[in-house]
Amino acid sequence: MKTMQPRPLSTLSLIVLHEARILVRDRTLLLVCGVLALMVGYGLFVGLAQATLRDRMVAQVLKHQQETQTANSGMLQSVLAGQTALIPFSNPANPAAMAGTLSGRYATMPNAPLAALAIGQSDMMPNYYRITYLSKVQFMYDTEIENPWNLLSGHFDFAFVIVFVLPLLVTTLGYNLLSAEREHGTLRMLCSQPLSIATLMAGKVVVRMLALLAIVIPVPLVVLLLIRPEARGAEQLVLVLSWSALVAAYTLFWFAVAALVNTVGLSSSTNALIMVALWTILVLILPVTMNLAVGLVSPAPSRTELANRTRVATAESLREYEDLYSADYRYASDPEALLVKNERIEVPSRMRAFFLAKQKVDERIEPLLKRFDQQLLQQQKLVDRLSLLSPAILINEALTSIAGTDSHRFLAFKDQTEAFHQEWRQYFSPRIQESRAMTMRDLSSLPRWHWIEMPASEINWSIWWRAMLMLALASGLGGLALSSSSRGSIE
Amino acid sequence: MFAIIAAKDLRVLTRDGRLLWAGGLVVILMLVALAAGWNRQVQLNSERSAGQALDHDAWLHQGYRHPHDAAEQGMHVFKPEPSLAVFDPGIGPFVGSTVWLQAHRQSEVKFRPAQDATGLQRFGELSPAWLLQVLLPLLIIVIGFNSVSDERERGTLRHLLSLGAPARSLLYGKAAALASCVGILIAPVGLAFAVLIVARLPAGERVDVVYRIAWLAAGYGLYLGFFVFLTLAVSALARSCRTALVLLLGFWVAATLIAPRTASEATNLLYPAPSRLDFDNQLAHDVADAGRKAWSTHFGARTPWDPSVPLSKWGAALKVDDEAGYGALDENFGRLWDTFERQQRAQEWVGLVAPVVALRGFSMGLAGTDFSQHRDFSTAAEAQRRKIQNIVSEDLIDHADRLGNAHFTYKAGPELWASVPQFKYELPPVSFALAHHWASLALLAVMFCLSVALAQYALSRPLMR
């Protein structure tokens, strides 16, 4: 057995141990940590459920796509062999039918590996689009089904626990760091010891902060690593690290606020009031006011205008192809006319008109849709700048971008989808114009969708500067608290 | 005695910096929210009515065209913004306001403003209703948490009771003082806003809106009254000011911030809504099924657009196809919307612990921005779509079907377009909202009575401890 060497315990660690003992004895810490653990668990459950749902949807659409493809190739084979009765609207040899009702590809955006950490915008924005010859306005605004009341309430996800609840728990643990000692008359006694108030406070904060962080950081990471294998990559490790740094910095910020408030020397009740007032302003009021301000400074183009323009564009393109639309339609009674001859097929003029008209509609609405996207980008830039005013916005934006549920990623998805939609049309356009029948080879060379993930460096940069900023803010406040505590009175 | 206590408390509260600062902030925010809402509404309403008129005009003047092509182009109808949406925008930003009435498919209301929003949207929208629901209870707690406990700590409560002041007067006096503080802040703004809203309306709609405002005032009165009495009760029951404050703030956080989110997550599990893909697949399947049946009974064809159905029956076939689908559409959309309404009704029970949930439903309902009224509009829009489809198909049967293969060369003119009645949607009256939300109001009344009872119990206990 080793003999215990007497170790010189620094004052700080003595305070830490002492505080820990008190906090455990009076059950405050256990209660707060219990509440936090419950909320973390529930928030994670909600996030995981949402991520699983979205995974399942992507898998489902891809399966559906595979099935349609198999069915189409079977049908095309029999049509080319002259075995199937030909139906004008669903003849797979007809490129116009293949571009629209018969085929269509799904543009899908996979969940980011850490998606379960924050739901963000993912309940408002679709993670797949069905691409056909239809115009953009017809498919771009379809979203996932969700009760609007629930969208309004918001989700109880893990990001909510961090952004909203964590500071409140910090307040509960920290509003009377010094004031309670003062009110109990023990501060005077403590100050008669060789101990500075700054050390006392630092010790108190360290215990409380470690207790909260011990739940809020490792628990979700362990759960995530266990349940979602895709979260185990090297790139994710960096993200996880930055995520931990962010959460720690945000917690530190609120403890620094608590310490600073405590050094002023007011009563516990007043401290609690000040903390809650600060929380209300930084977490509740500033973000909603910013939301309003962002809308005012950089207003979205009118949705009514979009509807009007769509109508005008549709009317114009219908008129433009009027001759094609109203041509004789003998194919219904003469299906033989739909047969493939020398790799050519007569594309019914009406179907050709469908294709061309939708294409025209998009060309005409394009500038307005571009303005919507521009607008969203502008707004997002404004939010990035305004986030400097409220740590809650700062951390919320960072958490959603780690989870890949922020509006930057959705805009990227939208952009890529538009490009793919364009590619899809360009593939079919010459075939329809030149009446070329679809071949088996064509069927396997249809444009394919590839999602290009946003560069990790961009995400990392946007997160680290936020984490650093938060840390700087927290240390600034903490430093202020420590320096003013050394000057403060103990009365 | 009651009046003396109320006057004294009111004087104390108004001298305190808390009311000045917190109240001032709330009033400023309220004015900002009202101005922003007002600005948005004026813009939206003029845009929408102009859009509606333009659309109908374009429909009338589309010239000569095949009726089915006209139906493919369809028209847009716009949901009028209820005048009280300035006060409570409700689910507005999440559902959009425009329906495209096009051939073959029932459209959902599209173009949701929330899709053009940034991540900040999820923090909420600054509306007067949000301020009253979330921030005012906090204000009541902040200015009232020590109204009894402080007197006890200072020993003035002992004096007061020794003078023979009845506990009941004490309670109602303090409640009146707290309530007047809140009243001073919101009543002038609220009154001015109400007068402005009502004055701007056409005479026919005024009575309805006045009723709505009165009911809203009642609902919010009960809600804020609940917080006034709860604050007094906790202040009397707690051992110290600090405990009272911590307890009340804990309740506020749990009831106004955490409960609504938890409730919506929970009801989602209880009554799950289908995913978009499942919904679309089911709908497509049901429509196709109904279509196949109708095609085989009417035309003996196995599949729609079977070569055995010549173009001389195309108009008739279109009509059969459309009508066959109506049942499936009604059933699928009905089921989905019922699920939403069931989810909301289940949440009302959460109002028993978190009155804000009950109040939110009631407030949106009376403001005309809740789901039931959105559903009413969607149903009206779909009815209009079917009207257009029927008129168009009848015309095809009468004129185009006779032309055989030259079916699509037929062109109808302005008289057909004029036979489609203009879409006129009137927001449902206040009775509609009350029929949907009386339970929430009843719940608020129950909560209010409970809080009064609790406060009476708390103050009638021997306070001389």
Side-chain angles (χ1 to χ4, degrees):
Chain A
M1 200 173 128
K2 264 182 164 180
T3 44
M4 291 284 284
Q5 290 290 319
R7 271 190 302 149
L9 281 175
S10 71
T11 336
L12 184 70
S13 54
L14 211 116
I15 300 222
V16 167
L17 282 176
H18 178 70
E19 271 299 311
R21 209 170 300 137
I22 292 182
L23 282 171
V24 171
R25 288 267 165 84
D26 84 349
R27 301 218 182 113
T28 325
L29 197 60
L30 288 180
L31 186 73
V32 170
C33 289
V35 169
L36 182 61
L38 265 181
M39 291 194 172
V40 166
Y42 190 49
L44 271 178
F45 168 74
V46 170
L48 281 168
Q50 188 80 8
T52 314
L53 184 78
R54 292 171 73 80
D55 278 343
R56 200 175 58 93
M57 274 175 333
V58 171
Q60 241 179 342
V61 294
L62 293 180
K63 184 169 157 252
H64 184 247
Q65 176 170 297
Q66 191 58 47
E67 284 166 3
T68 336
Q69 191 144 343
T70 317
N72 280 339
S73 84
M75 196 144 83
L76 182 60
Q77 224 152 15
S78 72
V79 165
L80 292 177
Q83 285 162 353
T84 310
L86 297 168
I87 295 157
F89 291 102
S90 46
N91 178 0
N94 174 358
M98 197 53 110
T101 42
L102 270 189
S103 178
R105 285 249 187 232
Y106 285 98
T108 56
M109 177 175 70
N111 272 324
L114 302 177
L117 289 179
I119 288 178
Q121 295 282 81
S122 66
D123 54 352
M124 269 312 290
M125 304 298 199
N127 61 341
Y128 65 87
Y129 293 107
R130 181 162 182 254
I131 307 297
T132 65
Y133 69 87
L134 284 184
S135 97
K136 253 185 252 173
V137 267
Q138 283 174 296
F139 74 84
M140 265 298 186
Y141 292 95
D142 286 342
T143 51
E144 196 37 58
I145 288 179
E146 173 97 75
N147 187 344
W149 168 285
N150 295 349
L151 289 175
L152 178 68
S153 304
H155 287 281
F156 192 105
D157 62 344
F158 191 52
F160 169 74
V161 176
I162 291 179
V163 178
F164 283 79
V165 181
L166 192 61
L168 286 169
L169 295 178
V170 171
T171 302
T172 318
L173 287 179
Y175 74 100
N176 56 359
L177 282 177
L178 285 185
S179 55
E181 301 275 7
R182 201 181 297 118
E183 281 155 16
H184 294 150
T186 42
L187 189 60
R188 201 176 263 273
M189 203 177 71
L190 284 170
C191 287
S192 67
Q193 307 290 320
L195 162 72
S196 71
I197 293 190
T199 320
L200 176 69
M201 205 148 64
K204 281 171 176 262
V205 166
V206 165
V207 176
R208 289 164 167 84
M209 190 161 138
L210 285 182
L212 290 185
L213 291 186
I215 292 172
V216 95
I217 291 180
V219 171
L221 295 184
V222 168
V223 171
L224 217 59
L225 288 176
L226 283 179
I227 295 186
R228 299 187 76 85
E230 66 271 33
R232 292 176 203 151
E235 245 175 43
Q236 277 63 56
L237 196 70
V238 180
L239 279 179
V240 160
L241 274 179
S242 56
W243 179 87
S244 314
L246 257 173
V247 175
Y250 188 60
T251 317
L252 188 64
F253 167 80
W254 282 102
F255 271 114
V257 171
L260 191 61
V261 169
N262 265 281
T263 58
V264 182
L266 301 164
S267 74
S268 293
S269 298
T270 315
N271 284 352
L273 278 182
I274 294 175
M275 292 288 292
V276 168
L278 283 173
W279 178 86
T280 309
I281 290 172
L282 293 179
V283 180
L284 279 190
I285 296 179
L286 264 178
V288 290
T289 323
M290 298 292 164
N291 191 12
L292 189 78
V294 165
L296 283 178
V297 173
S298 142
S302 150
R303 288 282 170 187
T304 311
E305 190 188 342
L306 178 59
N308 283 336
R309 287 279 200 90
T310 310
R311 169 185 50 75
V312 173
T314 315
E316 279 174 0
S317 46
L318 281 172
R319 208 162 293 133
E320 192 168 330
Y321 299 106
E322 185 65 44
D323 292 345
L324 289 178
Y325 270 110
S326 55
D328 242 6
Y329 203 85
R330 65 199 163 87
Y331 315 95
S333 52
D334 181 17
E336 296 293 309
L338 293 169
L339 281 179
V340 178
K341 293 159 199 134
N342 293 332
E343 296 195 349
R344 305 256 147 199
I345 187 164
E346 214 180 299
V347 176
S349 57
R350 206 172 154 72
M351 293 180 81
R352 187 189 306 246
F354 284 151
F355 181 85
L356 295 172
K358 308 276 182 211
Q359 194 165 354
K360 258 297 187 297
V361 169
D362 271 354
E363 277 168 24
R364 291 192 169 123
I365 299 182
E366 189 63 30
L368 189 62
L369 290 180
K370 274 272 161 303
R371 257 172 56 206
F372 272 98
D373 291 348
Q374 279 290 314
Q375 154 65 18
L376 198 48
L377 268 178
Q378 284 282 319
Q379 284 191 338
Q380 194 55 53
K381 268 190 202 142
L382 204 59
V383 172
D384 288 346
R385 253 175 268 147
L386 287 174
S387 65
L388 301 179
L389 290 175
S390 157
I393 304 178
L394 198 72
I395 190 159
N396 190 58
E397 293 294 307
L399 290 181
T400 49
S401 72
I402 290 174
T405 52
D406 56 330
S407 44
H408 283 297
R409 191 158 179 260
F410 281 106
L411 270 179
F413 177 48
K414 226 163 113 180
D415 272 353
Q416 293 181 28
T417 303
E418 285 181 11
F420 181 66
H421 184 221
Q422 196 66 23
E423 190 188 341
W424 181 259
R425 272 195 180 144
Q426 272 162 6
Y427 178 87
F428 284 102
S429 190
R431 287 174 170 76
I432 292 172
Q433 304 269 28
E434 296 157 19
S435 304
R436 269 151 54 190
M438 297 294 289
T439 62
M440 289 306 284
R441 204 182 53 246
D442 284 343
L443 215 52
S444 54
S445 70
L446 289 177
R448 275 170 201 282
W449 163 257
H450 296 287
W451 159 245
I452 305 164
E453 190 57 79
M454 291 177 76
S457 57
E458 204 176 294
I459 303 173
N460 277 324
W461 164 241
S462 88
I463 295 163
W464 279 107
W465 78 255
R466 285 191 170 92
M468 287 302 130
L469 192 70
M470 187 79 77
L471 212 56
L473 205 63
S475 10
L477 284 176
L480 205 62
L482 291 183
S483 76
S484 74
S485 69
S486 56
R487 283 181 275 110
S489 84
I490 55 166
E491 284 306 322
Chain B
M1 184 59 83
F2 158 80
I4 299 171
I5 293 173
K8 175 249 157 194
D9 260 47
L10 193 59
R11 206 171 307 132
V12 171
L13 285 172
T14 42
R15 279 191 195 149
D16 192 330
R18 280 177 282 166
L19 180 65
L20 188 70
W21 287 104
L25 182 64
V26 169
V27 171
I28 291 172
L29 284 174
M30 183 82 75
L31 290 174
V32 169
L34 279 175
W38 195 277
N39 179 31
R40 184 183 51 116
Q41 188 173 50
V42 169
Q43 198 185 339
L44 278 184
N45 267 341
S46 62
E47 262 184 6
R48 285 183 195 167
S49 52
Q52 184 79 72
L54 272 174
D55 230 278
H56 188 246
D57 192 56
W59 173 263
L60 290 179
H61 296 104
Q62 59 186 321
Y64 288 86
R65 164 178 293 178
H66 188 269
H68 187 62
D69 291 346
E72 292 259 356
Q73 178 193 326
M75 69 169 91
H76 288 90
V77 290
F78 298 85
K79 184 162 73 172
E81 177 95 339
S83 42
L84 288 175
V86 176
F87 173 73
D88 189 348
I91 58 168
F94 297 94
V95 289
S97 60
T98 316
V99 182
W100 186 1
L101 311 179
Q102 53 179 334
H104 306 305
R105 51 193 263 189
Q106 172 166 0
S107 295
E108 281 162 79
V109 183
K110 278 199 183 179
F111 306 143
R112 312 165 175 202
Q115 281 188 317
D116 302 327
T118 59
L120 282 186
Q121 177 86 23
R122 308 337 286 277
F123 280 95
E125 193 152 354
L126 181 63
S127 71
W130 180 82
L131 287 168
L132 293 186
Q133 288 164 12
V134 177
L135 286 193
L136 267 192
L138 180 63
L139 182 78
I140 292 173
I141 290 171
V142 165
I143 61 176
F145 76 96
N146 58 354
S147 55
V148 184
S149 51
D150 195 41
E151 297 230 30
R152 192 173 46 231
E153 281 177 7
R154 286 170 196 272
T156 46
L157 196 60
R158 203 178 275 261
H159 283 288
L160 207 57
L161 293 174
S162 70
L163 291 174
R168 187 178 282 259
S169 301
L170 197 63
L171 171 65
Y172 290 112
K174 286 190 176 291
L178 255 183
S180 352
C181 286
V182 178
I184 295 166
L185 295 176
I186 53 172
V189 182
L191 215 62
F193 163 72
V195 169
L196 218 62
I197 283 256
V198 174
R200 208 172 52 133
L201 286 174
E205 293 170 30
R206 278 188 192 155
V207 181
D208 188 67
V209 172
V210 168
Y211 274 128
R212 283 172 187 270
I213 293 176
W215 282 109
L216 278 174
Y220 278 90
L222 287 173
Y223 175 72
L224 295 175
F226 163 83
F227 272 97
V228 166
F229 282 101
L230 184 77
T231 304
L232 291 176
V234 174
S235 182
L237 287 173
R239 275 199 211 120
S240 67
C241 290
R242 198 177 74 183
T243 320
L245 181 62
V246 171
L247 282 177
L248 284 167
L249 287 178
F251 176 77
W252 174 76
V253 169
T256 32
L257 293 173
I258 295 178
R261 290 179 189 243
T262 324
S264 67
E265 297 293 355
T267 49
N268 236 354
L269 293 177
L270 208 59
Y271 303 107
S275 69
R276 158 79 52 207
L277 195 68
D278 289 340
F279 179 78
D280 284 351
N281 284 347
Q282 182 69 43
L283 182 65
H285 176 264
D286 289 356
V287 168
D289 227 28
R292 261 195 299 275
K293 273 188 206 129
W295 281 76
S296 86
T297 42
H298 283 84
F299 306 107
R302 276 178 302 117
T303 50
W305 319 122
D306 194 281
S308 66
V309 182
L311 279 175
S312 60
K313 288 186 191 165
W314 203 79
L318 207 58
K319 185 161 189 258
V320 166
D321 194 58
D322 274 339
E323 283 173 359
Y326 293 161
L329 286 171
D330 286 342
E331 204 184 301
N332 279 278
F333 276 98
R335 207 182 309 133
L336 177 67
W337 291 340
D338 283 346
T339 306
F340 288 171
E341 292 197 343
R342 219 169 284 142
Q343 286 183 348
Q344 194 172 332
R345 260 197 299 280
Q347 293 197 29
E348 274 164 16
W349 289 104
V350 180
L352 272 178
V353 282
V356 73
V357 180
L359 178 72
R360 269 175 62 193
F362 181 76
S363 168
M364 276 182 217
L366 270 293
T369 52
D370 68 332
F371 184 73
S372 57
Q373 282 160 90
H374 177 70
R375 182 177 183 168
D376 188 66
F377 170 75
S378 304
T379 313
E382 174 62 8
Q384 171 78 359
R385 187 184 78 88
R386 292 178 188 179
K387 225 177 267 170
I388 300 176
Q389 298 310 308
N390 290 345
I391 291 174
V392 164
S393 301
E394 289 293 347
D395 191 67
L396 285 176
I397 296 171
D398 291 346
H399 303 99
D401 280 3
R402 295 192 200 145
L403 305 175
N405 276 350
H407 177 101
F408 286 114
T409 58
Y410 165 67
K411 285 177 184 176
E415 50 305 333
L416 179 65
W417 317 137
S419 68
V420 172
Q422 194 170 0
F423 179 68
K424 283 214 171 73
Y425 177 71
E426 299 233 340
L427 295 162
V430 63
S431 54
F432 177 92
L434 282 174
H436 277 85
H437 296 285
W438 63 267
S440 299
L441 187 67
L443 209 71
L444 286 171
V446 169
M447 295 298 285
F448 175 73
C449 294
L450 283 177
S451 72
V452 174
L454 182 68
Q456 272 187 350
Y457 162 77
L459 269 123
S460 61
R461 283 184 343 148
L463 287 162
M464 312 291 280
R465 283 174 295 147

